[in-house]
Amino acid sequence: MQLLLAGIVVLPLVGALAALLPAPPGLRGKNPDQAVLRHGVTVTGVVLAAAIALAVGFDHARPARMQATTDLSWIPALDIRIHLGVDGISLPLVVLTALLTFLCALYSYFHMPAGPSPKAFVALLLTLEAGTLATFAVLDLMLFFLAFEMVLIPMYFLIARWGGAQRQAAAWKFILYTLLGSVVMLLGLLLIGVKSGTFDMVALATDNGPKAQLSHTVQLLAVLAIGIGLAVKSPMWPLHSWLPDAHTAAPTVGSVLLAGVLLKMGTYGFVRIALPITPAGMHTFAPYLAALAAVGILYGSLACLALVRKGAGGDLKRLIAYSSVGHMGFVLLGIATMTPTGVNGALFANIAHGLITGLLFFLVGALKDRTGSTDLDTLARSAGVRPAASGAAALLPAPSGAALYARAPRFGGLLAFGAVASLGIPGLAGFWGEMLAMFGAFRPAAGLSRPAFLTFMVMAGLGTLLTAAYLLLVVRRVCMGGTVDLAGAAVRGATDPAGTSGAAPDGGPAPSPALPVLPDLARYEYAAWSPLAALTVLAGLWPAALLGLTDPAVQQLLGGGK
């Protein structure tokens, strides 16, 4: 198990270096580009298999204990160690990261985004995976910071070199926001290490350990500094403004990984560092974190409603990016309650958001490839009318926009499924995390103002209603197409019952204009997206599979290691 976890973290880095080397003649296939893309699928597939093996070999009877640990001295003078391990909190995130990266590599093998050499693309994708996996596996504060920063450069280049319009500006905004936040976070981590005498996260999480050296003032300063860096990555309102631009400009796989795993690094840091190591400081700032989270839920929903309305020129990819601000608000609200119920809900919502929003970004990217646009007005546009049936009087819309139910029914059905899952309907993964986060706000930890948290709970509940409103509008406009004045069409049909208005040359009814065909789901799309849909259903119907892992670990984390 030790070697398995270490291999999961190191193998993507080795694969990234190998991707830059010339492919051996026997492995080139049709061309070198195909060989390096196949290399990416192979490496990420091996990492996913190792992550599944790690999950199978994990002692599920003791999920609160750190397992598969490696603890080696690295910089003795600063007591910085190569300390790795997973528990019930980090294991699901490791598996989610390995799964999403493999699906992105598989999708890119069949549909490589336009841009420079695939060698650089695969190397960056694998480096990004290594940094993300390391963030969830390391147990030393300095290693956590290094892994946290490791993902910034690969994501910057994925956006800047393989992105769409305004990609340079979006990439710079992404890296400037996250780097500035990280600098402040580093100060907080150093403060903890200097005052406690260690950077070991396991030792610091124990009440009778080095944490006792941290005064209330030190904890306040540490939480403030670390929280700013984590809040930027989460992203928390009002530090979220880099996210919509980054998602809109990023290639499809970049958006999937950004939403599916990179955002989880910030919320994971709150659970792994802020809650157990600086509980007094976190208790002071919890109401402010909850207030910002509740505002973020409403803000994200209202921004999406503004984008989805007719004539607003809203972008579907940007809309899903703003929806992430709202969904991650539920995660932050659950963490701010400082209760096992709320924190478990936050961890569940993390996984659910990765599955559902990853699927939605895959679908929106494929929709843009099929239609050439993600503009909602373009996707919902209707052009004229057509007869409902041969010889019928009533006329119906003849869509020229997406109208996915008519033109690509399986694709439209999967998009509607993703939207319904995202709005938190019972029976799917999105429901449990949001519900538990609000339950946690209903009865927050001792010492926190219950009236304030009840207010935040009501705001979050209103956010769920607004979320349902804009997602159902998306489904209606994109899957069903635009609308026309059917009353006027019916009048025209009634005055011309024979159907001669606009009739064919032989006097018969006018033929229905042919709808341009959109390709429905391809085999590689089934392969890349089906696991996300299946896991969304599984997590919704069997939440105990995930909560059984996280709850004992959360109980121990909040109990000071007891």
Side-chain angles (χ1 to χ4, degrees), residues 216-483:
H216 187 264
T217 302
V218 169
Q219 291 195 35
L220 285 176
L221 294 174
V223 168
L224 182 61
I226 295 170
I228 289 173
L230 297 176
V232 171
K233 187 66 72 74
S234 293
M236 182 183 75
W237 182 91
L239 303 175
H240 69 284
S241 60
W242 61 270
L243 183 70
D245 292 339
H247 270 310
T248 305
T252 297
V253 295
S255 293
V256 170
L257 292 176
L258 183 58
V261 294
L262 264 67
L263 302 188
K264 313 303 176 287
M265 294 165 61
T267 52
Y268 173 78
F270 275 109
V271 175
R272 180 65 73 194
I273 299 173
L275 280 177
I277 298 177
T278 56
M282 188 67 186
H283 192 278
T284 300
F285 283 108
Y288 304 102
L289 176 62
L292 293 174
V295 172
I297 293 170
L298 290 177
Y299 172 83
S301 300
L302 292 172
C304 291
L305 279 173
L307 288 171
V308 78
R309 64 184 177 85
K310 186 177 180 180
D315 185 278
L316 183 55
K317 205 173 182 184
R318 196 174 188 86
L319 181 144
I320 297 174
Y322 272 110
S323 77
S324 291
V325 176
H327 289 306
M328 297 309 290
F330 281 98
V331 178
L332 293 169
L333 177 62
I335 294 170
T337 67
M338 299 186 70
T339 62
T341 300
V343 177
N344 276 304
L347 294 171
F348 198 103
N350 254 346
I351 301 299
H353 180 264
L355 295 172
I356 297 168
T357 308
L359 175 62
L360 286 173
F361 274 118
F362 267 133
L363 290 165
V364 174
L367 183 62
K368 183 175 183 179
D369 295 332
R370 284 163 165 79
T371 64
S373 176
T374 52
D375 178 78
L376 279 163
D377 289 332
T378 301
L379 295 174
R381 186 178 62 236
S382 181
V385 294
R386 58 185 172 88
S390 178
L395 301 178
L396 298 176
S400 64
L404 293 177
Y405 286 162
R407 301 170 64 187
R410 294 181 183 87
F411 191 100
L414 191 56
L415 179 62
F417 168 83
V420 169
S422 186
L423 65 85
I425 193 170
L428 298 176
F431 170 74
W432 295 106
E434 296 181 1
M435 183 193 71
L436 289 173
M438 288 191 286
F439 275 178
F442 181 74
R443 198 174 296 279
L448 296 177
S449 171
R450 193 180 182 208
F453 274 83
L454 287 175
T455 302
F456 304 146
M457 183 192 72
V458 171
M459 293 171 66
L462 178 59
T464 61
L465 298 177
L466 297 176
T467 299
Y470 72 73
L471 285 172
L472 292 176
L473 284 172
V474 167
V475 171
R476 189 182 76 174
R477 299 194 72 198
V478 176
C479 295
M480 301 178 184
T483 58

Side-chain angles (χ1 to χ4, degrees), residues 26-361:
L27 298 178
R28 289 179 182 172
K30 296 179 181 179
N31 57 66
D33 288 350
Q34 184 192 50
V36 74
L37 291 170
R38 185 170 60 245
H39 169 78
V41 175
T42 303
V43 174
T44 55
V46 172
V47 172
L48 175 60
I52 293 173
L54 181 69
V56 171
F58 187 81
D59 186 355
H60 291 259
R62 294 187 291 177
R65 183 173 65 89
M66 283 294 170
Q67 303 181 35
T69 56
T70 299
D71 192 0
L72 303 172
S73 179
W74 184 33
I75 306 176
L78 300 176
D79 193 28
I80 297 176
R81 309 182 66 81
I82 299 176
H83 193 180
L84 305 176
V86 291
D87 62 358
I89 293 172
S90 52
L91 179 64
L93 292 167
V94 168
V95 176
L96 176 68
T97 300
L99 173 65
L100 284 177
T101 311
F102 169 71
L103 296 180
C104 286
L106 180 64
Y107 183 81
S108 300
Y109 178 78
F110 294 97
H111 193 85
M112 172 69 192
S117 165
K119 278 191 174 185
F121 177 84
V122 172
L124 291 169
L125 189 68
L126 293 173
T127 305
L128 183 68
E129 180 182 32
T132 310
L133 290 169
T135 301
F136 300 136
V138 298
L139 298 172
D140 183 276
L141 291 177
M142 287 298 99
L143 282 185
F144 176 85
F145 175 77
L146 293 176
F148 197 85
E149 295 304 288
M150 184 177 170
V151 304
L152 300 185
I153 300 302
M155 182 54 71
Y156 167 81
F157 281 109
L158 285 175
I159 297 172
R161 303 301 298 276
W162 286 270
Q166 305 296 321
R167 59 180 182 268
Q168 292 291 344
W172 275 110
K173 194 172 185 179
F174 160 76
I175 201 164
L176 287 176
Y177 263 77
T178 49
L179 276 178
L180 289 173
S182 298
V183 169
V184 181
M185 183 177 73
L186 176 60
L187 296 177
L189 297 177
L190 290 173
L191 178 63
I192 290 175
V194 169
K195 292 296 184 179
S196 67
T198 182
F199 291 103
D200 188 272
M201 293 159 67
V202 176
L204 286 165
T206 306
D207 277 346
N208 57 357
K211 181 169 66 176
Q213 305 298 319
L214 302 177
S215 67
H216 187 264
T217 302
V218 169
Q219 291 195 35
L220 285 176
L221 294 174
V223 168
L224 182 61
I226 295 170
I228 289 173
L230 297 176
V232 171
K233 187 66 72 74
S234 293
M236 182 183 75
W237 182 91
L239 303 175
H240 69 284
S241 60
W242 61 270
L243 183 70
D245 292 339
H247 270 310
T248 305
T252 297
V253 295
S255 293
V256 170
L257 292 176
L258 183 58
V261 294
L262 264 67
L263 302 188
K264 313 303 176 287
M265 294 165 61
T267 52
Y268 173 78
F270 275 109
V271 175
R272 180 65 73 194
I273 299 173
L275 280 177
I277 298 177
T278 56
M282 188 67 186
H283 192 278
T284 300
F285 283 108
Y288 304 102
L289 176 62
L292 293 174
V295 172
I297 293 170
L298 290 177
Y299 172 83
S301 300
L302 292 172
C304 291
L305 279 173
L307 288 171
V308 78
R309 64 184 177 85
K310 186 177 180 180
D315 185 278
L316 183 55
K317 205 173 182 184
R318 196 174 188 86
L319 181 144
I320 297 174
Y322 272 110
S323 77
S324 291
V325 176
H327 289 306
M328 297 309 290
F330 281 98
V331 178
L332 293 169
L333 177 62
I335 294 170
T337 67
M338 299 186 70
T339 62
T341 300
V343 177
N344 276 304
L347 294 171
F348 198 103
N350 254 346
I351 301 299
H353 180 264
L355 295 172
I356 297 168
T357 308
L359 175 62
L360 286 173
F361 274 118

